[in-house]
Amino acid sequence: MVQYSSLAEAGLQIMAGSLYVVSTPIGNLDDITVRAVNTLKSVGLVAAEDTRRTDHLLKHFGIATPTTSLHEHNESQKLPQLLRKLAEGTDIALVSDAGTPLVADPGQRLVARAAAEGIRVVPIPGPSAVLAALAVSGYPADEFVFAGFAPSKSNDRKRWLAALAREERTVVFFETPHRINKTLADIAELLGERQITVARELTKVHEQVARCAASSASELSMPARGEFTIVLGPILQPSQVLQPIDDQDLAAYFYQLTDLSRSPRRAAAETAAKFGLSTNDVYARLARLKATTPP
Amino acid sequence: MVQYSSLAEAGLQIMAGSLYVVSTPIGNLDDITVRAVNTLKSVGLVAAEDTRRTDHLLKHFGIATPTTSLHEHNESQKLPQLLRKLAEGTDIALVSDAGTPLVADPGQRLVARAAAEGIRVVPIPGPSAVLAALAVSGYPADEFVFAGFAPSKSNDRKRWLAALAREERTVVFFETPHRINKTLADIAELLGERQITVARELTKVHEQVARCAASSASELSMPARGEFTIVLGPILQPSQVLQPIDDQDLAAYFYQLTDLSRSPRRAAAETAAKFGLSTNDVYARLARLKATTPP
């Protein structure tokens, strides 16, 4: 019941090559894995979204493997050639411009067709802007939705964001630099008190991660340069909300402990544990409170 | 409006350390990135889900950085200590047992708290079982849903799968080895004609990727060992469905071309392009048809 093609039925897959789906860096070239380099070196051909970008990557790592372009405009011509090469025994690596191929990238039909033909498809995992942004957001990611690129037309985008507002899970999506500030304004209008993390130029020199309530998103005014990955926090149940810490409560707790003859050091440590803070931060909050409270 | 903590307000973040969220291999140790190795080497402390597993990883790469455990059972004690170290200037790397931290892993509260305290949080992207499985599935991933771990109780799981059946996008989820075959039986019952890809032990020696219609999922009978990542294909609109190729249609197209005095070679190439196949596969299908057609 596992799908095999006629080639596989004919026993020809014994000599067939493998299709490696290779993740590449999203900005910082040191985000390459050892296996990605070895795979790109050992295959017979690299099918790339943009051969100039991929040639640059290969050159950086001293890899001489030939590249061929595969994108949505030449896919129907290129697919039969690539499938024939695989069937004839050539190993091929599929890469996109950046990150893990197939996530909002072309190449999906090559993988689908190769799998249907009984070709072995092997993942070479590595960077992805989706997961990098999710990891630094700090939002729960037991479950999440990747929503692709925000629609380009203003009305479509507003409708799309309004639909996302009903999604309770953490949501990740991409936006282009020339629309980012319009989209942040739409988010402020449509997504209320949800939390938002905006990641720009992830892993690059000018990496920037900004966080705020969605209602303030229009004030972020990001530079309209680089790639943007936006993460919307989940809609939390009231019990899950991280309550802001009231310094009065914190001080009351601390002085209650010192009244119970705990040393200030011990009381600060216990207060820190209670409020999920560092002891340094407990001291800083106590000092701030003292400074603003009339004697 | 970007959130700064009291520490940041006090200007103390100048001396603060950074929190690196570091992706590690999901099986094959060569799936480590150059930057992950360098970061794990350079930080003062590694906060790990399971220090034994992480110590093994660090030892493999000759890294002597001390580790400390951070998991759901010691999180409330450990958070204040780690936040204090960050505030005092220690760089910390957060890792999970495998893959990208936070995706169904502990550690999320450390990132959330550190970000709220104005600590710089830096992603070191790398492998993830979610994206590796998605990449080899060949299903459209312009959008997708990660649904976490399938529920452990049979009735909960059936309700959960029934809800997933209404999700039109590609869905990825995790299952444990001791429940995989029960879950595949439930999928066969509840998810009808959707396509399914089951990935086992991704990137390891016994990596296995099986694909079939969801209705046949119970016949896959996977070995109850290793980690499983399941990908459900999207619910396709009729126009998007990859129609199975009818060999009679293919042959008719081919002979029409030869009747128009194309050479067999040329006709095979054009037929291949038309049907999205390799020319070899066109010849194989023509040969098979000839063999089964009475003269």
Side-chain angles (χ1 to χ4, degrees):
Chain A
M1 95 271 52
V2 179
Q3 287 188 345
Y4 293 112
S5 67
S6 55
L7 279 175
E9 284 158 17
L12 292 179
Q13 88 282 20
I14 293 163
M15 57 166 273
S18 295
L19 176 61
Y20 295 90
V21 185
V22 181
S23 300
T24 57
I26 57 174
N28 187 323
L29 290 177
D30 281 346
D31 288 336
I32 194 96
T33 69
V34 175
R35 198 151 69 115
V37 170
N38 291 343
T39 303
L40 293 170
K41 260 185 196 155
S42 69
V43 295
L45 184 66
V46 177
E49 193 179 351
D50 176 344
T51 52
R52 278 183 313 170
R53 288 189 64 158
T54 300
D55 287 339
H56 176 257
L57 179 80
L58 298 187
K59 198 178 169 191
H60 179 87
F61 291 105
I63 299 168
T65 310
T67 57
T68 189
S69 71
L70 177 70
H71 46 69
E72 50 179 337
H73 303 297
N74 72 0
E75 199 179 49
S76 48
Q77 288 165 262
K78 280 294 181 75
L79 274 185
Q81 298 171 24
L82 293 172
L83 290 166
R84 189 180 56 224
K85 278 185 185 291
L86 283 163
E88 286 169 359
T90 303
D91 286 337
I92 295 182
L94 172 69
V95 301
S96 66
D97 283 355
T100 302
L102 303 202
V103 176
D105 284 322
Q108 177 250 325
R109 287 195 65 210
L110 175 60
V111 175
R113 279 287 187 203
E117 297 279 327
I119 298 289
R120 187 170 152 250
V121 182
V122 182
I124 308 294
S128 142
V130 176
L131 290 202
L134 203 56
V136 294
S137 73
Y139 304 141
D142 296 344
E143 307 175 70
F144 66 87
V145 171
F146 172 62
F149 274 95
S152 55
K153 287 185 189 163
S154 174
N155 284 338
D156 292 351
R157 188 168 61 241
K158 285 185 179 181
R159 257 195 302 275
W160 184 83
L161 288 170
L164 287 187
R166 291 190 297 274
E167 171 58 64
E168 296 193 353
R169 295 169 285 200
T170 296
V171 177
V172 186
F173 65 92
F174 293 157
E175 186 49 289
T176 55
H178 56 286
R179 282 195 297 271
I180 185 67
N181 286 309
K182 280 185 191 165
T183 296
L184 290 174
D186 290 345
I187 287 171
E189 187 189 327
L190 295 164
L191 285 157
E193 282 311 305
R194 246 167 129 149
Q195 293 295 309
I196 179 177
T197 294
V198 181
R200 187 174 83 88
E201 300 266 63
L202 278 174
T203 80
K204 296 185 184 170
V205 177
H206 298 292
E207 175 174 289
Q208 188 179 7
V209 179
R211 307 156 196 276
C212 63
S215 56
S216 307
S218 56
E219 297 161 39
L220 285 172
S221 65
M222 302 298 278
R225 277 195 58 204
E227 294 99 30
F228 290 85
T229 309
I230 295 171
V231 191
L232 298 174
I235 296 175
L236 295 175
Q237 303 310 314
S239 67
Q240 298 172 281
V241 175
L242 224 58
Q243 293 298 332
I245 294 163
D246 183 321
D247 287 351
Q248 300 280 359
D249 290 352
L250 180 143
Y253 192 84
F254 175 84
Y255 290 115
Q256 207 181 347
L257 291 171
T258 53
D259 288 349
L260 292 166
S261 48
R262 300 280 208 289
S263 70
R265 196 192 165 90
R266 178 77 188 278
E270 290 184 29
T271 307
K274 165 79 177 171
F275 289 87
L277 295 172
S278 63
T279 47
N280 265 8
D281 198 32
V282 169
Y283 290 131
R285 283 168 188 268
L286 290 173
R288 187 171 57 178
L289 199 64
K290 241 183 185 160
T292 56
T293 309
Chain B
M1 94 271 52
V2 179
Q3 285 187 348
Y4 293 112
S5 67
S6 55
L7 279 176
E9 284 159 17
L12 292 178
Q13 87 283 16
I14 293 163
M15 55 166 278
S18 295
L19 176 62
Y20 295 91
V21 186
V22 181
S23 301
T24 56
I26 56 174
N28 187 324
L29 291 178
D30 281 345
D31 287 337
I32 194 96
T33 69
V34 176
R35 198 151 70 116
V37 171
N38 291 343
T39 302
L40 292 170
K41 261 186 196 154
S42 69
V43 295
L45 186 66
V46 177
E49 193 178 351
D50 177 344
T51 51
R52 278 183 315 171
R53 288 189 65 160
T54 299
D55 287 338
H56 177 257
L57 179 80
L58 297 187
K59 198 177 167 191
H60 179 87
F61 291 105
I63 299 169
T65 309
T67 57
T68 190
S69 72
L70 177 70
H71 46 68
E72 50 179 338
H73 303 299
N74 72 359
E75 198 180 48
S76 47
Q77 289 166 260
K78 281 294 182 74
L79 275 186
Q81 298 171 25
L82 294 173
L83 290 167
R84 190 180 56 225
K85 278 184 186 292
L86 284 163
E88 288 170 357
T90 304
D91 286 336
I92 295 181
L94 172 70
V95 301
S96 66
D97 282 357
T100 302
L102 305 201
V103 176
D105 284 322
Q108 177 249 324
R109 286 195 65 210
L110 175 60
V111 176
R113 278 289 189 202
E117 298 279 327
I119 299 287
R120 186 168 152 251
V121 182
V122 183
I124 309 293
S128 144
V130 176
L131 290 203
L134 204 57
V136 294
S137 74
Y139 303 142
D142 296 342
E143 305 176 72
F144 67 88
V145 171
F146 172 63
F149 274 95
S152 54
K153 288 183 186 164
S154 175
N155 283 338
D156 293 349
R157 187 168 60 244
K158 284 186 179 179
R159 257 195 301 274
W160 184 83
L161 287 170
L164 286 187
R166 290 190 298 273
E167 171 58 64
E168 295 193 354
R169 295 169 285 200
T170 295
V171 176
V172 186
F173 65 92
F174 293 157
E175 186 49 289
T176 56
H178 55 287
R179 283 197 296 272
I180 184 68
N181 286 308
K182 280 184 190 165
T183 296
L184 290 174
D186 290 344
I187 286 171
E189 189 189 326
L190 294 163
L191 285 157
E193 283 310 307
R194 241 164 134 152
Q195 293 296 308
I196 179 178
T197 293
V198 181
R200 188 174 83 89
E201 300 266 60
L202 278 175
T203 79
K204 295 183 184 172
V205 176
H206 298 292
E207 174 175 289
Q208 189 180 6
V209 180
R211 308 157 196 275
C212 63
S215 56
S216 307
S218 56
E219 297 162 38
L220 285 172
S221 64
M222 302 298 278
R225 275 195 59 204
E227 294 100 30
F228 290 86
T229 309
I230 295 170
V231 191
L232 299 173
I235 297 174
L236 294 175
Q237 303 309 315
S239 66
Q240 299 171 280
V241 176
L242 223 59
Q243 295 296 336
I245 294 163
D246 183 322
D247 287 351
Q248 301 280 359
D249 290 350
L250 181 143
Y253 191 85
F254 175 85
Y255 291 115
Q256 207 181 345
L257 290 171
T258 54
D259 288 351
L260 292 167
S261 47
R262 300 283 207 287
S263 69
R265 194 191 168 91
R266 176 79 188 275
E270 289 185 28
T271 306
K274 165 82 176 170
F275 289 87
L277 297 171
S278 63
T279 46
N280 264 7
D281 198 34
V282 169
Y283 289 131
R285 283 169 187 267
L286 291 172
R288 187 171 60 178
L289 198 66
K290 239 181 186 163
T292 56
T293 311

